[in-house]
Amino acid sequence: MTEPEYLADASVDAAMDEKIRALLTTCFTGPQNAVFQTRRYFHDPYPHRWIVRDERGALAAHVGVHERRVVADGKPLRIVGIAEVSVHPDQRGRGHVRAILREVHAWATREGFEFSALFGKPEVYGSSGYRSVANLSVDVAGPDGRIARKKMPAMVRPLAQAPWPAGEVFLEGAVF
């Protein structure tokens, strides 16, 4: 395994874009994931990503990182939102995601982010320090177009000393 490599989204050229989209379409196969055929993100573009290449230099794993904000008890908190975690099927079980997340957490801590959050499975992300929370709320548009606040199961990992807030925590903007 090569070391995780930082890749600013602004530096992604056409060839790398094609490789990222190929990995995403290989890993995310549901009908809603057809979006990856034409773009390298699901909801919103993110400025940061980390990748791992296999021994031949091919893209083996990918993690996208949003810079976001949540509000808890009127106080804004900086978080990183983890998105589009993907590992090529031939590369699974080799620790790529844990290695990338270690790099992301170190970077985010240096940059002053307080938490890392993602929407994923506890059995996958628990070993990287994430725990499930039930108090994250988001604004979601209903079929009639009305916006309603909804709690969404999430996983968080503290990056600083403060614990995740106990009351409602509102994620500003779109889900990642």
Side-chain angles (χ1 to χ4, degrees):
M1 172 176 83
T2 64
E3 291 297 312
E5 176 184 334
Y6 174 76
L7 185 62
D9 190 65
S11 71
V12 174
D13 62 14
M16 180 55 79
D17 175 71
E18 186 175 332
K19 291 173 186 174
I20 292 168
R21 289 184 298 103
L23 178 63
L24 294 172
T25 56
T26 298
C27 295
F28 300 107
T29 58
Q32 73 277 14
N33 296 310
V35 63
F36 295 128
Q37 294 173 6
T38 58
R39 64 183 196 214
R40 60 185 177 269
Y41 57 89
F42 192 86
H43 290 291
D44 285 328
Y46 32 86
H48 314 285
R49 68 185 73 243
W50 276 258
I51 61 171
V52 169
R53 298 175 193 267
D54 68 14
E55 56 282 345
R56 297 178 331 272
L59 196 55
H62 168 275
V63 172
V65 179
H66 293 274
E67 292 186 25
R68 300 299 291 278
R69 201 169 91 146
V70 295
V71 177
D73 200 25
K75 179 184 173 196
L77 302 168
R78 293 179 69 213
I79 70 165
V80 290
I82 306 299
E84 278 81 74
V85 176
S86 49
V87 179
H88 192 279
D90 296 341
Q91 293 290 316
R92 292 183 181 154
R94 299 182 187 192
H96 295 320
V97 172
R98 271 193 304 281
I100 290 174
L101 289 177
R102 273 194 303 274
E103 292 292 321
V104 170
H105 298 152
W107 169 84
T109 300
R110 286 191 307 272
E111 295 295 317
F113 289 91
E114 296 164 87
F115 297 95
S116 179
L118 54 80
F119 302 97
K121 298 176 180 176
E123 62 272 16
V124 175
Y125 298 101
S127 65
S128 293
Y130 287 85
R131 68 176 179 83
S132 297
V133 297
N135 63 338
L136 186 69
S137 296
V138 297
D139 283 344
V140 178
D144 60 0
R146 291 185 185 173
I147 302 295
R149 189 151 297 174
K150 173 185 167 187
K151 286 195 177 177
M152 182 167 251
M155 298 191 73
V156 298
R157 181 187 192 278
L159 300 172
Q161 295 300 317
W164 183 254
E168 180 187 51
V169 179
F170 174 66
L171 173 64
E172 296 180 333
V175 174
F176 39 84

